Amino acid sequence: MYEESMSVGQEISALMSQGEYSLCSDQNLRAVARVGQAVNLAVDRFVTVGETIADDNPEINQGMYEACKEARVAGSAIEKLCECAMEDNVDDRGAVVRAARCLLVSVTRVLLLADIVVVKQLLLAKDKVARSLGRLESVSNFTEFVKAFSQFGAEMVELAHLTGDRQNDLKDERRRAQMAAARQVLERSTMMLLTSSKACLRHPDCPSAKENRDTVFCQMRRAMDLIHYVVKDGVIECNESYSNPESPQQEDWDSSTVFSALNHFEKFIEKCRKSLLGPNYRDTLISSLETVVERTQDFTDSAYTTHEHRENILLLCDRARLELNALFRLVNNKTIIGSGCGSPKLEMEEALDRLLRATKDLKQHLCATTLDQAGDLGSVTKALHELVSSIKNLASSSDIDGLKENSDRFQEYIDHILEVCKLLRHVARTESLQVSAKFTEINLRIYGPQVVTAAYTLARHPTSKIAKENLEVFADMWQWLMTDITTVAKDVLDLGQSRPEKQVYMSLPRPGKHGTTSKPLKPVSLDSEEQAKIAKAGLEMKLITSEMNAETEKWQESGSAFEENNDIVKRAKNMSSMAFAMYQFTRGEGALKTTQDLFTQAEYFAEEANRLYKVVRQFSYQVPGGNHKKELLENLDRVPTYVQQLQFTVKNPTVGKSATFIKVDNVIQETKNLMNVISKVVTTCFVCASKYNLDFRGLSARGGSMYRGGDGVGDGDGSGAGGDGSKAGSAPGSDSSV
């Protein structure tokens, strides 16, 4: 159904793009006629599926048939209008647009009705699994258990299939991540459900065996509740598991983080630039800032936060309050209000900027605190690994006292990791990472201690093969959780150093030869997930490119003293052109046609960054000591590292589609990171040049490439790849340029 709807949408888009051209030529008329036929055929396939769904679901039968009929009429009308355009040579694009709108309305109605059916099927499958869980929990012998578990397994397969399809269809990032988290719990818990139930049946009087089993049942039911919640799009129904506002489910689905509070506060500050601060604005700003301060308490109250970090966070919160109060005092001073225009003057702009700098500094220090705690994950994980091995040995030897002593240490380590997870969620830049961090914390809090519980069962029954198997399965779950935590920490902290904004996904390029070895490979294309990932990184790079262009324009607008012989501006423009060409590649546009073109362009980009580094290094000698010079050198010193990383990534050989996709993604990411730091360097150079009236004449990047041994490619004279911007988008052997 969704594939057919995508086909209809593509054909309508093709029709509209044809309509952008004049219908005077026979070639265009024939193209429009063909597209009109294609639209009608796509509609016919789509409504056939809709009618089949209507036949199987009486509750939506009438509405579905009506919507399908409307779609058929609209599709037929579009085809006839296109044929008339060819016969009469009349451009009635308005009629085509109206018919297309009618078609989209009816297609949307069909999809909504089909979605009702999908949701119904998914909830029915979930209810069947819930009933099977109830039967499994009540069985009293192995024969009944085997029969019930067999039925449960078949129903779990059906639920996994339906939830997987639903996860792929979900557009909301948070809902998609929540569905993934619920499906992961169900998948991983199934084996623990089997072994813990067997251990409980074999040792019915063992409290630790019963605790293992009850914990698994509880966690699986929570996962199914979450599936229900996501399918219903966040509507909490009034039954026992949801009615308590302090229920674990309500807590688990809470999305409040300190970064989300800071972002909300900063957006509201930006609104204040456009209007005067009335009483409502002031109350909202005060309330928003207090929310931020309240959420920083997870950082300051943590036992693992150093005294220095704690003091700095508290000081930064006080600084934000002081800057906000200073802003209010300025607003109260009527002398800063323009006569009748309602626009803040320079003093208010500066006050707003100081307030934003305070929140930015607070963000950076919260990230630093999280990074400091996350740095302990390696040693804690290693200690836990050794401790789990010790716990398994103690359980096998029935050493209850030793087990109790080690279990206390085990819980201390878990508490430490839980604190790290909490901070990671607070500083996560995307909703999917927030969800991942939150559910990793939940799963560790619930399943982590169950390793020790399973060990107690084995310690009480050291000869039981079932108890030993159960401990191994819970230890495997613990290992999965450690991997999850490491992955989440890496993703959160890596993304924290790049642009965090969620971008619109776009399409990746036309198929080309993939691989960087001499062996010829068949042309292949990337699937939608691969396309989306690379296109997202490309768009982020495009935004950084726009920032770079804006900075270089400032230099040109500031007068000839800066513009004349300014090698910094020239190199920055070259890099911006190259990065833009790589962005075009992610859209399937521009001069870069194949992945090899992209990799060659990345090499040129790294070389140009190296030349810019040398020019700015010379310029830095003129800058007087102070905060500006410190900021310039801090950013500048990061450039060689990013250059080396990009060059290493480009030279890494690959074979096959999968490896090439990873390399393309890594090259785009490394280029984006390098472009980001270069943009900061150029911005700081402009600030220093303006403040200290520095001279750029005589600065150049001679002497070849730092990492290629001075091979002379464009050595300091603007020649070579992208030296003057003319070849910035070209690869070797290419006829075109950006």
Side-chain angles (χ1 to χ4, degrees), residues 353-371:
D353 288 339
R354 287 195 300 270
L355 182 54
L356 284 172
R357 281 197 296 272
T359 60
K360 180 182 178 182
D361 291 344
L362 178 57
K363 275 186 177 181
Q364 291 176 343
H365 205 83
L366 293 173
C367 282
T369 304
T370 305
L371 181 62

Side-chain angles (χ1 to χ4, degrees), residues 236-366:
I236 300 179
E237 297 186 352
C238 296
N239 58 37
E240 183 177 354
S241 62
Y242 299 108
S243 58
N244 183 1
E246 298 180 357
S247 67
Q249 289 90 349
Q250 187 68 22
E251 175 193 351
D252 297 346
W253 299 331
D254 183 17
S255 62
S256 58
T257 67
V258 68
F259 265 36
S260 63
L262 277 165
N263 290 338
H264 175 76
F265 182 65
E266 290 173 347
K267 287 178 182 177
F268 208 82
I269 293 174
E270 291 297 340
K271 289 182 181 179
C272 297
R273 294 186 188 276
K274 302 176 182 179
S275 61
L276 293 178
L277 290 174
N280 293 336
Y281 271 57
R282 299 185 189 191
D283 292 343
T284 303
L285 280 171
I286 293 172
S287 174
S288 297
L289 182 57
E290 288 309 311
T291 300
V292 170
V293 174
E294 180 183 346
R295 292 180 186 175
T296 61
Q297 290 175 4
D298 280 341
F299 293 78
T300 56
D301 292 349
S302 173
Y304 305 96
T305 299
T306 64
H307 177 73
E308 180 183 0
H309 281 312
R310 183 178 293 108
E311 288 297 315
N312 285 335
I313 291 171
L314 293 172
L315 287 172
L316 286 168
C317 289
D318 288 341
R319 174 182 156 195
R321 286 194 182 103
L322 290 172
E323 296 294 355
L324 183 60
N325 289 333
L327 175 65
F328 290 158
R329 285 196 298 272
L330 279 174
V331 174
N332 290 333
N333 184 357
K334 295 183 180 181
T335 61
I336 71 164
I337 300 177
S339 57
C341 64
S343 298
K345 286 191 175 180
L346 181 61
E347 293 91 341
M348 184 172 177
E349 287 289 337
E350 292 176 347
L352 290 169
D353 288 339
R354 287 195 300 270
L355 182 54
L356 284 172
R357 281 197 296 272
T359 60
K360 180 182 178 182
D361 291 344
L362 178 57
K363 275 186 177 181
Q364 291 176 343
H365 205 83
L366 293 173

Side-chain angles (χ1 to χ4, degrees), residues 468-489:
K468 184 176 182 180
E469 178 190 21
N470 187 51
L471 176 56
E472 291 294 341
V473 169
F474 275 91
D476 288 343
M477 172 55 115
W478 170 83
Q479 187 62 55
W480 282 335
L481 292 173
M482 293 298 101
T483 302
D484 290 345
I485 290 160
T486 303
T487 301
V488 168

Side-chain angles (χ1 to χ4, degrees), residues 35-47:
V35 174
Q37 293 171 359
V39 169
N40 199 21
L41 286 173
V43 171
D44 186 67
R45 289 193 298 269
F46 174 74
V47 298

Side-chain angles (χ1 to χ4, degrees), residues 588-661:
E589 302 170 356
L592 308 181
K593 306 299 183 184
T594 68
T595 52
Q596 185 57 53
D597 292 345
L598 176 74
F599 301 150
T600 304
Q601 183 75 95
E603 285 187 279
Y604 292 161
F605 184 87
E607 291 171 357
E608 194 71 353
N610 181 33
R611 298 187 186 98
L612 179 63
Y613 169 83
K614 293 180 178 180
V615 177
V616 177
R617 177 62 71 181
Q618 291 184 32
F619 167 73
S620 68
Y621 299 147
Q622 303 180 38
V623 180
N627 291 333
H628 290 304
K629 183 167 186 174
K630 180 181 177 182
E631 181 181 355
L632 175 62
L633 293 178
E634 284 177 351
N635 288 320
L636 186 61
D637 288 340
R638 295 163 61 192
V639 172
T641 301
Y642 282 118
V643 168
Q644 287 181 319
Q645 290 174 348
L646 179 56
Q647 290 177 329
F648 176 80
T649 302
V650 169
K651 293 175 182 177
N652 185 31
T654 60
V655 176
K657 170 192 162 185
S658 178
T660 303
F661 159 68

